[in-house]
């Protein structure tokens, strides 16, 4: 059972690491106008664009955590350190977007705090460059380790 859990965990982690790296690529290589159109269509006059996705991701987080425990690969000090580093990086990432948006960058009503944050991130993703560099280095290392140590490639 532990071997199957570890295998499934590795596969899911590779998926999420690659997905995260693609999101960083979109921030810096897709023009703002295109990203803005996608964001506008995602919100489509609502205050949230991710209600279904958030439920899915919460379930995935619980699955990943469950697989980690079942696999026997949990090392408490690494897990706790990673948890706090991740939480701090995300907090610092959000704090990078405290500058008010220009009128042309602001979303259409109805406006919610998360909607403002989403539009601020799309308008200037480079404001959080330090956090994004650290996250990218961690994710590239994670993908390398999953492929080499995890699957022996």
């Amino acid at each position: 059972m532990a071997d199957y859990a570890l295998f499934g965990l590795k596969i899911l982690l590779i998926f999420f690491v690659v997905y995260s790296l693609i999101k960083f690529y979109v921030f810096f290589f897709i023009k703002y106008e295109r990203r803005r159109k996608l964001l506008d269509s995602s919100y489509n006059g609502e205050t949230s664009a991710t209600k279904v996705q958030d439920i899915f991701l919460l379930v995935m987080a619980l699955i990943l955590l469950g697989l980690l425990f079942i696999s026997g690969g949990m090392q408490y000090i690494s897990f706790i350190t990673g948890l706090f580093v991740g939480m701090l990086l995300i907090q610092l990432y959000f704090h990078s977007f405290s500058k008010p948006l220009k009128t042309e960058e602001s979303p259409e009503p109805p406006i919610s705090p998360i909607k403002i944050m989403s539009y601020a991130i799309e308008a200037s993703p480079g404001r959080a460059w330090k956090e994004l560099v650290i996250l990218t280095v961690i994710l590239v290392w994670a993908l390398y380790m999953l492929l080499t140590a995890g699957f022996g490639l």
Side-chain angles (χ1 to χ4, degrees):
M1 179 75 155
D3 290 339
Y4 292 119
L6 184 58
F7 180 78
L9 180 60
K10 290 175 188 177
I11 295 294
L12 288 174
L13 287 173
I14 287 173
F15 168 78
F16 278 110
V17 167
V18 170
Y19 173 76
S20 297
L21 289 170
I22 290 169
K23 285 181 73 170
F24 293 154
Y25 170 84
V26 168
F27 273 150
F28 294 104
F29 296 104
I30 304 296
K31 293 184 187 271
Y32 171 69
E33 294 78 22
R34 176 76 176 127
R35 292 192 329 267
R36 174 62 190 253
K37 284 181 185 176
L38 290 170
L39 189 60
D40 289 341
S41 68
S42 293
Y43 275 95
N44 196 25
E46 301 290 328
T47 57
S48 176
T50 60
K51 288 178 184 172
V52 173
Q53 181 183 8
D54 288 348
I55 293 168
F56 171 77
L57 290 174
L58 183 59
V59 169
M60 289 307 300
L62 293 172
I63 289 170
L64 289 170
L65 192 57
L67 289 172
L68 180 60
F69 277 107
I70 293 168
S71 73
M74 170 77 80
Q75 294 184 4
Y76 78 93
I77 200 75
S78 294
F79 181 82
I80 295 167
T81 302
L83 177 64
F84 276 99
V85 167
M87 290 174 9
L88 290 171
L89 285 172
I90 294 304
Q91 179 178 351
L92 295 171
Y93 175 86
F94 284 135
H95 289 179
S96 299
F97 300 98
S98 59
K99 183 178 175 188
L101 289 169
K102 298 175 190 167
T103 303
E104 64 272 10
E105 295 170 336
S106 294
E108 297 294 324
I111 297 174
S112 64
I114 192 66
K115 191 173 184 180
I116 285 286
M117 179 64 73
S118 296
Y119 278 75
I121 291 168
E122 287 299 332
S124 300
R127 286 190 182 148
W129 71 269
K130 297 177 294 292
E131 294 80 13
L132 290 173
V133 166
I134 294 168
L135 286 168
T136 301
V137 168
I138 292 169
L139 288 169
V140 168
W141 173 82
L143 185 58
Y144 171 79
M145 292 304 295
L146 284 164
L147 294 175
T148 59
F151 287 101
L153 300 178

